């Protein structure tokens, strides 16, 4: 099982390697100092990107975080219309138990120029 430091290194390292990623945020229980940490906390991450085309073209980039067992992309579902506007989210269960077993990621497009 990966520890918090290793997971954060993977998540931030990915952002540093991708020119289109401008900002990474951590939300949820891991970002809330009032929450007592437990083994089953997931990682709620948002990547703010200038262009999401490459990230949406293939799910292969998710493999760097571990083997996927279940992947859910609500904005790709046909039953309900997307609610994030230019955003896109995915949640996936990885093939391990413990703190890194579930990751939730959102992408939101931002302007490339200030």
């Amino acid at each position: 099982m990966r520890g918090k430091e290793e997971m954060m290194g993977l998540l931030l390292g990915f952002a540093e390697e991708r020119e289109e990623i401008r900002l990474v945020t951590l939300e949820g229980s891991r970002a809330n100092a009032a929450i007592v940490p437990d083994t089953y906390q997931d990682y709620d991450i948002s990547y703010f990107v200038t262009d999401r085309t490459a990230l949406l073209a293939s799910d292969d980039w998710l493999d760097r975080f571990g083997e996927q067992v279940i992947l859910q992309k609500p904005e790709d579902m046909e039953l309900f219309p997307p609610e994030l506007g230019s955003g896109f989210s995915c949640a996936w269960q990885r093939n391990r138990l413990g703190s890194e077993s579930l990751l939730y990621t959102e992408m939101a497009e931002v302007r490339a120029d200030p």
Side-chain angles (χ1 to χ4, degrees):
M1 178 170 61
R2 293 182 179 128
K4 178 182 176 182
E5 291 78 22
E6 185 179 357
M7 278 304 297
M8 292 305 294
L10 283 171
L11 295 164
L12 294 174
F14 175 71
E16 290 172 354
E17 295 168 11
R18 303 295 299 231
E19 185 176 319
E20 71 270 27
I21 298 177
R22 297 290 190 232
L23 176 70
V24 181
T25 59
L26 174 68
E27 297 93 20
S29 62
R30 287 192 177 269
N32 187 340
I35 301 293
V36 178
D38 66 59
T39 305
Y40 300 102
Q41 279 182 305
D42 63 349
Y43 289 86
D44 299 306
I45 303 294
S46 292
Y47 290 113
F48 292 83
V49 300
T50 56
D51 183 6
R52 62 186 186 155
T53 306
L55 295 170
L56 295 181
S58 170
D59 295 330
D60 291 345
W61 64 275
L62 297 172
D63 293 338
R64 76 178 293 143
F65 304 111
E67 180 186 357
Q68 301 169 36
V69 176
I70 298 170
L71 173 62
Q72 180 182 28
K73 300 190 298 185
E75 283 69 42
D76 274 354
M77 295 179 175
E78 295 181 14
L79 186 58
F80 301 102
E83 296 180 355
L84 287 179
S86 66
F88 189 85
S89 63
C90 61
W92 69 101
Q93 179 79 32
R94 298 200 357 241
N95 195 17
R96 294 183 178 200
L97 295 176
S99 63
E100 82 284 357
S101 63
L102 180 66
L103 291 158
Y104 178 77
T105 305
E106 286 189 10
M107 283 181 273
E109 284 189 315
V110 295
R111 289 179 37 191
D113 56 345

